Structure formats: C-alpha cells, structure tokens
Amino acid sequence: MGVSSSSFKANSKNLLIWVGFFTASLLVYYFLSSGDFSFLLSYAAFMRCFGFGLLNYHMWGSKTAKGVSVKTLELYTLTFAARLVSIMRHQGYLPFDQTGDWFYHCVEAMSLVAVLLAMYAIFVPLLPTYDEKYDKFGSLHIPSEFGIVYLVGPCLVLAVLFHPTLNREWLSDTAWTLSMYLEAIAMLPQIYMF
C-alpha cells in the first residue's frame, strides 16, 4: 500500500504540472492569439521554456545533474542571448498576433533564465553529480570545455554570410539567424553524451 500511494502521489504531481501547462497554453491561445499561423512561434517558445523548467524541477528536486550536457546548455544560452538581441529592439521576427507584443519576449527571457539556472545548478551545488567524463563533444584537438566551438564557429560564419533582412539592420538580422542555426544543432552535445 505504501509503494502504490507514493507512486500515485508522484504521478499526480506530474499530472498537475502538465495540466497546468496545457491550461496556460489554452489561455494564451484564447486571450493573446488571433488564431493564425504566427502563434506557433510563440507556442514553440512556450513549450521549450516549459521543458527547461521541467529540467530545473528535476535537477533541483532529485539533487543530481547526471546525464545533462553543459555544452547543450551553453549553446542554448547563446541561442537565447542572440535571439533577445534581435527581438528586443526590432519587430521583424516577432509573431504577428498579440503574443508578439510582450509574451514572446517574456518567454524567451524566462528560457534564458531557466538555462542559466540549470548551469548554475550544475557548476555549484550539483557539481559532484555532473558527468563531465561523458560530456566530451568536440574534444578533438582542443580542450573538452571548448568543444562547442566546432558548432558555434560554422553557425556564426553561416549567419554572417546568409541572413534575411526583415529588421534591416545587420546585427539584428545576423543575431536572429545565428539563434536559428544554433537552436537547430544545440542538442548534438546532449545526444553525443549518450
């Protein structure tokens, strides 16, 4: 009886988290979206932010960073920083509905905070549980801690050479494109870790 009640308690807590997320999703859709295609950009950002929130919930709750790649978190930090550089000053890449007025900005900023919080957890209180020996992506010819250079370098070069011009400003357009390229490959160190 004790095992099944604790299992039910844990599962009901997880269920409440997911019900809360889907309820918030419906509220955002109903109150802030015009129902068009641009809402998908906001919703994808919202889902990603929720995912990083779950990562923090798991890491802080279980007191372990086992299986989490710092390099992936570093790539996401660069992704969100570059994206915020682009969207804070210009509107060319924002959703057309009301979520582009403030919601998308807040979600991207919260995602950055969640990633930084996860990195803090790994490097400070949970450092003994971090699997550094398995987080070796990009350790060819350079120290392992600089392994993301193999991913950031090509993305930066491509973003400088090939970027749209919706904001009509080189820095903003390049930053947006860099964030898109980085996000496309950010999970590679995590996958390599397994």
Side-chain angles (χ1 to χ4, degrees):
M1 183 72 178
V3 172
S4 65
S5 67
S6 66
S7 173
F8 176 75
K9 192 177 191 179
N11 286 335
S12 64
K13 196 175 204 180
N14 289 337
L15 181 64
L16 282 175
I17 290 170
W18 281 96
V19 166
F21 169 70
F22 286 120
T23 302
S25 299
L26 289 173
L27 290 173
V28 167
Y29 181 78
Y30 182 73
F31 289 112
L32 297 178
S33 173
S34 58
D36 65 353
F37 186 73
S38 72
F39 175 72
L40 291 178
L41 180 63
S42 298
Y43 191 65
F46 190 46
M47 287 176 57
R48 185 179 52 246
C49 183
F50 177 69
F52 284 119
L54 283 179
L55 175 66
N56 277 293
Y57 175 76
H58 173 72
M59 284 174 46
W60 288 96
S62 64
K63 304 283 190 236
T64 184
K66 187 174 181 71
V68 179
S69 171
V70 167
K71 291 181 177 88
T72 289
L73 295 177
E74 290 170 344
L75 288 168
Y76 272 112
T77 299
L78 293 173
T79 298
F80 295 132
R83 188 165 299 145
L84 287 169
V85 163
S86 178
I87 67 172
M88 286 304 197
R89 300 178 314 134
H90 299 285
Q91 297 180 358
Y93 301 103
L94 292 174
F96 295 123
D97 59 6
Q98 287 182 342
T99 60
D101 293 342
W102 62 271
F103 180 75
Y104 186 72
H105 297 82
C106 291
V107 168
E108 293 293 343
M110 288 187 324
S111 296
L112 178 61
V113 169
V115 170
L116 291 173
L117 183 62
M119 287 177 60
Y120 169 79
I122 290 173
F123 286 128
V124 180
L126 304 177
L127 184 61
T129 63
Y130 168 52
D131 290 331
E132 187 175 5
K133 64 183 174 195
Y134 297 117
D135 198 6
K136 295 290 185 190
F137 183 86
S139 60
L140 181 67
H141 304 300
I142 60 173
S144 177
E145 58 268 13
F146 300 114
I148 65 168
V149 169
Y150 286 118
L151 297 174
V152 174
C155 287
L156 183 59
V157 169
L158 287 172
V160 167
L161 295 176
F162 305 106
H163 57 270
T165 57
L166 290 177
N167 285 336
R168 292 184 175 84
E169 183 192 59
W170 182 85
L171 177 64
S172 180
D173 292 325
T174 303
W176 177 265
T177 307
L178 177 63
S179 74
M180 293 291 110
Y181 293 161
L182 286 174
E183 189 170 21
I185 51 94
M187 288 303 293
L188 287 177
Q190 183 67 52
I191 293 168
Y192 186 81
M193 195 171 178
F194 296 115

